[in-house]
């Protein structure tokens, strides 16, 4: 198993926002984590990434315990994180934004086909290539999302945690971002844990889905099961 989360608990002060969650992600998987607002999905990603302190439980990546490690060490271990806020640097060029994702500031092992290089990013994100010297802030919302994903890939993650990548995008860009995630999962072999509010996007990408209710994961289901069960959608997703 690439990622194993066991009985993970996280608090914000007195508030117990993750109450013993469990997740498994295998090599090459694309798994979605869905649920209504405020259930704890973003906190789950941040807890795996070490961005919020976990209270207890275990996070194993590639068989090694990483629970409680710093975000820096977790990134080094091979997990990338694309936050909801798309933290790109608006004054820096597309190229410089991408280079910021490189660990240690230098691309090593460029002959290794698994190493992400600028050329390889542009192969998967041709839109960014057209804008290589433009400032990040001049890109559209969808292009900034691509840049944010591309920058994470430059750190050569085996697993990418992606939080609400299609939020606020128009339907054409939603489709493009969807296609990029599909491409990097299927063709570049990057495993993905996806939080996504657009159900059609999630169903079309994920093989397996975890459904979250207040602070816990209460259901694991396949995409086709969720697609055909109005009852489960009503229970976990619809407002
Ligand atoms: N930094 C924070 N401090 C205190 N409470 C927070 C913080 N971030 C999120 N919360 C609360 O934790 C709960 C889970 O939030 P979040 O993980 O963002 O949910 P989701 O991503 O599913 O919408 C919510 O009740 C939210 O208000
Ligand atoms: Mg969230």
């Amino acid at each position: 198993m690439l990622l194993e989360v066991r009985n993970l608990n996280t608090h914000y002060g007195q508030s117990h926002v993750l109450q013993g969650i469990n997740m498994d992600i295998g090599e090459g998987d694309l798994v979605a984590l869905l649920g209504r607002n405020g259930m704890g999905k973003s906190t789950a990603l941040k807890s795996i990434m070490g961005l919020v302190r976990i209270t207890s439980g275990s996070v194993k990546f590639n068989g090694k315990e990483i629970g409680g490690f710093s975000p820096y060490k977790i990134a080094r271990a091979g997990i990338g994180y694309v936050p909801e806020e798309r933290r790109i640097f608006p004054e820096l060029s597309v190229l410089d934004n991408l280079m910021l994702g490189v660990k240690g500031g230098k691309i090593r092992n460029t002959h290794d086909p698994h190493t992400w290089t600028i050329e390889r990013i542009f192969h998967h994100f041709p839109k960014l290539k057209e804008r290589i010297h433009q400032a990040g802030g001049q890109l559209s919302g969808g292009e900034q999302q691509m840049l944010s994903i591309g920058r994470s890939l430059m750190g050569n993650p085996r697993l990418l945690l992606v939080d609400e990548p299609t939020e606020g995008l128009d339907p054409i860009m939603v489709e493009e971002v969807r296609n990029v995630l599909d491409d990097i999962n299927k063709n570049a072999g990057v495993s993905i844990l996806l939080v996504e509010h657009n159900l059609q996007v999630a169903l079309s990408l994920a093989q397996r889905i975890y459904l979250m209710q207040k602070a816990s994961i209460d259901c694991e289901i396949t995409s086709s099961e969720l697609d055909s069960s109005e009852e489960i959608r009503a229970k976990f997703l619809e407002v």
Side-chain angles (χ1 to χ4, degrees):
M1 204 49 71
L2 188 59
L3 183 80
E4 284 180 72
V5 176
R6 291 291 176 275
N7 200 20
L8 185 67
N9 287 276
T10 297
H11 291 73
Y12 290 124
Q14 298 292 318
S15 172
H16 194 179
V17 290
L18 295 183
Q19 301 181 5
I21 67 167
N22 297 294
M23 271 191 269
D24 283 315
I25 299 179
E27 186 92 55
D29 283 0
L30 196 160
V31 175
L33 175 62
L34 309 182
R36 294 187 184 88
N37 278 341
M39 297 296 110
K41 305 180 299 295
S42 295
T43 304
L45 298 192
K46 288 175 188 166
S47 296
I48 294 167
M49 199 61 209
L51 293 163
V52 299
R53 202 173 57 85
I54 63 174
T55 326
S56 62
S58 158
V59 182
K60 274 194 185 143
F61 183 66
N62 206 17
K64 293 200 184 83
E65 184 62 43
I66 57 163
F69 283 23
S70 69
Y72 170 81
K73 277 185 110 175
I74 291 171
R76 285 262 160 193
I79 304 184
Y81 173 60
V82 183
E84 210 171 348
E85 316 79 60
R86 304 170 196 156
R87 277 183 240 121
I88 63 137
F89 292 84
E91 299 85 30
L92 296 183
S93 69
V94 164
L95 181 62
D96 289 345
N97 266 285
L98 288 173
M99 288 306 293
L100 283 174
V102 180
K103 287 166 189 158
K106 192 167 183 292
I107 302 173
R108 291 164 218 275
N109 307 321
T110 50
H111 299 297
D112 178 345
H114 299 296
T115 298
W116 284 89
T117 60
I118 296 293
E119 293 72 31
R120 195 159 164 232
I121 292 287
F122 288 156
H123 173 75
H124 290 271
F125 303 79
K127 277 261 163 73
L128 292 181
K129 187 174 185 177
E130 295 164 21
R131 299 185 173 266
I132 179 167
H133 297 302
Q134 277 189 30
Q138 292 178 341
L139 305 188
S140 71
E143 289 163 345
Q144 290 188 12
Q145 185 59 263
M146 307 276 189
L147 182 55
S148 189
I149 296 168
R151 187 178 59 192
S152 297
L153 290 172
M154 288 301 287
N156 298 317
R158 288 174 66 189
L159 172 67
L160 205 54
L161 313 176
V162 190
D163 201 351
E164 307 267 14
T166 70
E167 196 182 18
L169 303 183
D170 65 47
I172 293 170
M173 286 312 300
V174 167
E175 188 61 20
E176 288 195 21
V177 168
R178 194 215 78 87
N179 292 344
V180 154
L181 293 172
D182 195 37
D183 175 45
I184 60 177
N185 175 245
K186 289 212 180 79
N187 302 321
V190 179
S191 307
I192 296 177
L193 174 57
L194 173 70
V195 172
E196 175 58 61
H197 65 277
N198 182 319
L199 183 63
Q200 289 318 312
V201 168
L203 290 176
S204 76
L205 285 171
Q207 303 104 30
R208 210 153 41 80
I209 292 173
Y210 289 113
L211 293 167
M212 244 186 133
Q213 270 185 325
K214 197 78 204 149
S216 60
I217 291 176
D218 291 338
C219 183
E220 183 186 344
I221 192 170
T222 66
S223 288
S224 51
E225 284 165 347
L226 182 59
D227 196 24
S228 57
S229 175
E230 209 170 300
E231 195 185 333
I232 294 178
R233 288 200 306 276
K235 182 171 179 205
F236 288 94
L237 301 174
E238 279 144 25
V239 275

